[in-house]
């Protein structure tokens, strides 16, 4: 893949994911339980879910326009920043030993990093935004790599039964996370690492998440997980395409 194809594919995957996650808010009438676990006691929770969902859809659509793409990427970054500060930070502080919450925190951080990369690519002088977004994504990968090591058996059990050597696959993914993160941070072999990582996430979408969605077509969490994985694939391809610029 050339750089333009990486960039176009990455942008498309990320924007589709942002719009899709916004649509999940609207269809389900609540915040995605894994990605944005809002407290049940929150006042006007459903209204806020519809508002957030509509803003995410708007942000994604704006990114696809040439004239208002900067506004769309900025809005998406702001929404994920607010989700991080208002939803996840309080939950982590309240329950720091919960691995699921840490995973959700860094999913949001990674997607926010992706929106910054997107914004940096659109902006005239967006090098700092791109570098910041890449660092956020790389930090998330390091955390996910550690979790793959700490909870190896649990992760291995999520792998489809027709795939052999589940534990080996888990450790292989862990190594891929660590290697990609280091590559992104030091700026070496970034195009190769981003391309392979994007392909890996895309394969997960097709062989892991899509069958789970089909098996549980009305399960919100499965849809959310699919589009988070697609967003990660898009971000990885964006990094590959921007390797020389970053």
């Amino acid at each position: 893949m050339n750089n333009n194809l990486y960039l176009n594919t990455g942008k498309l995957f990320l924007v589709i994911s942002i719009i899709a996650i916004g649509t999940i808010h609207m269809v389900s009438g609540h915040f995605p339980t894994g990605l944005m676990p809002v407290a049940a006691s929150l006042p006007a929770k459903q209204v806020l879910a519809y508002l957030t969902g509509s803003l995410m859809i708007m942000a994604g659509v704006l990114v696809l326009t040439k004239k208002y793409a900067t506004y769309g990427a900025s809005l998406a970054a702001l929404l994920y920043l607010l989700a991080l500060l208002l939803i996840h930070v309080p939950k982590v502080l309240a329950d720091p030993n919960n691995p699921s919450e840490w995973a959700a925190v860094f999913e949001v951080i990674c997607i926010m990093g992706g929106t910054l990369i997107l914004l940096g690519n659109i902006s005239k002088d967006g090098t700092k935004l791109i570098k910041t977004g890449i660092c956020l994504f790389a930090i998330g990968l390091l955390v996910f790599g550690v979790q793959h090591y700490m909870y190896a058996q649990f992760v291995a059990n999520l792998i489809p039964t027709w795939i052999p050597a589940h534990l080996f696959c888990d450790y292989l993914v862990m190594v891929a996370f660590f290697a990609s993160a280091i590559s992104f941070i030091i700026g070496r072999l970034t195009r190769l690492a981003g391309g392979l990582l994007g392909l890996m996430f895309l394969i997960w979408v097709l062989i892991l998440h899509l069958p789970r969605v089909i098996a549980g077509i009305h399960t919100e969490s499965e849809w959310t997980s699919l589009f988070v994985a697609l967003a990660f694939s898009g971000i990885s391809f964006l990094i590959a395409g921007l390797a020389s610029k970053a």
Side-chain angles (χ1 to χ4, degrees):
M1 292 175 70
N2 60 41
N3 280 8
N4 285 339
L5 187 54
Y6 272 132
L7 288 174
N8 292 335
T9 303
K11 176 182 176 181
L12 180 63
F13 284 0
L14 181 55
V15 170
I16 287 174
S17 300
I18 291 170
I19 293 174
I21 292 172
T23 304
I24 289 170
H25 282 74
M26 304 292 286
V27 173
S28 65
H30 60 76
F31 289 86
T33 52
L35 189 63
M36 298 182 183
V38 173
S41 59
L42 181 72
K45 179 179 176 181
Q46 189 173 40
V47 174
L48 288 173
Y50 285 136
L51 176 62
T52 303
S54 61
L55 289 174
M56 283 188 173
I57 294 170
M58 182 189 302
V61 172
L62 288 175
V63 170
L64 295 176
T65 68
K66 188 174 182 179
K67 187 175 181 180
Y68 301 107
T70 302
Y71 296 107
S74 299
L75 177 58
L78 177 61
L79 289 171
Y80 279 99
L81 177 61
L82 290 174
L84 177 66
L85 297 178
L86 300 180
I87 299 172
H88 289 288
V89 170
K91 288 182 72 68
V92 163
L93 293 177
D95 189 11
N97 295 319
N98 186 342
S100 297
E101 182 50 40
W102 281 104
V105 165
F106 283 96
E107 284 179 353
V108 169
I109 288 175
C110 283
I111 297 177
M112 184 177 70
T115 62
L116 292 178
I117 295 170
L118 195 60
L119 179 59
N121 184 46
I122 297 168
S123 304
K124 290 183 179 179
D125 185 18
T127 304
K128 290 183 179 179
L129 286 170
I130 292 171
K131 288 184 176 180
T132 301
I134 290 174
C135 283
L136 290 175
F137 188 64
I139 290 169
L141 292 176
L142 291 174
V143 172
F144 297 140
V146 171
Q147 288 195 321
H148 270 255
Y149 175 76
M150 293 177 63
Y151 309 105
Q153 193 58 58
F154 172 79
V155 176
N157 290 337
L158 299 176
I159 298 173
T161 55
W162 58 269
I163 297 177
H166 288 188
L167 201 57
F168 171 78
C169 290
D170 170 74
Y171 287 129
L172 183 64
V173 170
M174 177 192 72
V175 171
F177 282 161
F178 286 144
S180 299
I182 293 169
S183 172
F184 297 158
I185 291 170
I186 67 175
R188 295 289 185 272
L189 300 176
T190 308
R191 189 173 184 272
L192 176 63
L196 291 176
L197 188 67
L199 180 61
M200 184 183 76
F201 277 118
L202 183 58
I203 290 172
W204 288 4
V205 169
L206 298 176
I207 71 170
L208 174 62
H209 294 288
L210 188 58
R212 290 175 69 94
V213 164
I214 294 172
I217 198 72
H218 299 295
T219 306
E220 169 267 305
S221 59
E222 296 295 351
W223 283 99
T224 303
S225 295
L226 182 148
F227 287 109
V228 168
L230 186 64
F232 280 31
S233 176
I235 296 166
S236 302
F237 285 141
L238 277 175
I239 293 173
L242 288 168
S244 58
K245 183 177 180 180

